[in-house]
C-alpha cells in the first residue's frame, strides 16, 4: 500500500494541532516524527512529551524516526508515549537484532534506518525480522534539503532483495521528497513516503494531493 508520512519537523509548531488535523483530513495515514539528540545528528528536535501530547489527540499511525545514539536505551519510553513504529539507525545501535526484537516485544513495529553512506547490503541480515527499512535520501539532521538521487538505487536493491526472498517489507524514503521526484521514489520500490517541507510549506491539502 502507498502511504504518505508527513514529517512534523517542517510544521509551524504554533499551529501544530491544526496542521495535524489538516494532514489527517487530506488523507495522510502516518505522522513522521523526527527525534534528534544533538549527538547522532547535530540538531536537537523534540521528544516524548510532545509525542505523548499528540497521541491524546490523533489516531494517525506514529512513525517515530529516532536519530539518537544507542536507541536501545529509550525503547520503552517511546513505546509508552505512543509510537506505533520505531525506526532506529543501524549506525547508532550496537545490537540491531536485539533492538528489533525488543521493539516487537513492546508490541510495536520495528524499522531499521540507513544513512546515505551506508550500503544497502547492511540491512540484508535483518530483512526477515524488521517490518520496515527506512532509506535516508538526505543526510539526517535537517529538513528542507535536496534529495540525493543515488540513494534511490539502494531502494531498488533492497526491494529486489526482499522480493527474491518473498518478503513484502515496507520501504520508506525520507528527505527531499517533492511532488516532482516522488514518482522516482515509488518506481524504485518505496511504498512509504516521508515529506516535510513538501507538505507543510504552503497549502497542506493541495500539497498532499500533489504527492498522492
Ligand atoms: C531529516 C528528517 C526528515 C525531514 C524531512 O533528518 O529525518 O524526516 O524532516 O524533511 P524534508 O521532506 O523537508 O526533506
Ligand atoms: Zn525522518
Amino acid at each position: 500500500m502507498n502511504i504518505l508520512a508527513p514529517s512534523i519537523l517542517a510544521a509551524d509548531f504554533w499551529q501544530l494541532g491544526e496542521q495535524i488535523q489538516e494532514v489527517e483530513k487530506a488523507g495522510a495515514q502516518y505522522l513522521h516524527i523526527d527525534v534528534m539528540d544533538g549527538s547522532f545528528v547535530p540538531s536537537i528536535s523534540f521528544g516524548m512529551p510532545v509525542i505523548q501530547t499528540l497521541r491524546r489527540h490523533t489516531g494517525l499511525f506514529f512513525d517515530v524516526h529516532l536519530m539518537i545514539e544507542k536507541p536501545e536505551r529509550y525503547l520503552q519510553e517511546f513505546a509508552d508515549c505512543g509510537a506505533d513504529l520505531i525506526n532506529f539507525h543501524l549506525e547508532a545501535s550496537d545490537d540491531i537484532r536485539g533492538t528489533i526484537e525488543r521493539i516487537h516485544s513492546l508490541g510495536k513495529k520495528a524499522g531499521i534506518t540507513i544513512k546515505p553512506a551506508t550500503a544497502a547490503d547492511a540491512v540484508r541480515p535483518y530483512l526477515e525480522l524488521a517490518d520496515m527499512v527506512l532509506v535516508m535520501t538526505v543526510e539526517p539532521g535537517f529538513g528542507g534539503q535536496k534529495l540525493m538521487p543515488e540513494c534511490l538505487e539502494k531502494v531498488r536493491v533492497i526491494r529486489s532483495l526482499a522480493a527474491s526472498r518473498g518478503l513484502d517489507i515496507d520501504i520508506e524514503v525520507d528527505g527531499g521528497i517533492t511532488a516532482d521526484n516522488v514518482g522516482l521514489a515509488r518506481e524504485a520500490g518505496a511504498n512509504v513516503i516521508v515529506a516535510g517541507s513538501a507538505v507543510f510549506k504552503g497549502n497542506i491539502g493541495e500539497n498532499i494531493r500533489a504527492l498522492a
Side-chain angles (χ1 to χ4, degrees), residues 32 34 65 67 174:
H32 184 82
D34 288 306
H65 176 193
M67 284 165 273
D174 181 11

Side-chain angles (χ1 to χ4, degrees), residues 59-136:
L60 281 169
F61 183 93
F62 281 4
D63 162 19
V64 175
H65 176 193
L66 297 182
M67 284 165 273
I68 67 175
E69 295 288 359
K70 302 201 187 311
E72 47 280 355
R73 293 173 297 160
Y74 289 108
L75 301 176
Q76 179 81 58
E77 283 86 344
F78 283 105
D80 288 347
C81 74
D84 295 298
L85 160 68
I86 299 178
N87 262 304
F88 67 97
H89 272 265
L90 183 139
E91 306 87 356
S93 171
D94 295 330
D95 178 13
I96 292 148
R97 192 167 290 274
T99 302
I100 297 172
E101 284 167 355
R102 174 94 180 107
I103 295 170
H104 283 159
S105 76
L106 293 164
K108 308 298 174 183
K109 290 196 167 182
I112 37 177
T113 306
I114 52 172
K115 297 209 282 186
T118 304
D121 246 18
V123 303
R124 203 184 265 270
Y126 313 108
L127 288 182
E128 270 82 8
L129 203 57
D131 300 287
M132 171 181 277
V133 177
L134 166 50
V135 177
M136 291 304 299

Side-chain angles (χ1 to χ4, degrees), residues 27-84:
Q29 305 95 323
Y30 284 17
L31 208 58
H32 184 82
I33 302 175
D34 288 306
V35 177
M36 303 178 181
D37 67 351
S39 175
F40 181 70
V41 289
S43 196
I44 297 178
S45 56
F46 38 71
M48 298 86 169
V50 172
I51 301 172
Q52 192 172 27
T53 302
L54 301 182
R55 182 75 293 166
R56 286 202 291 270
H57 298 281
T58 174
L60 281 169
F61 183 93
F62 281 4
D63 162 19
V64 175
H65 176 193
L66 297 182
M67 284 165 273
I68 67 175
E69 295 288 359
K70 302 201 187 311
E72 47 280 355
R73 293 173 297 160
Y74 289 108
L75 301 176
Q76 179 81 58
E77 283 86 344
F78 283 105
D80 288 347
C81 74
D84 295 298

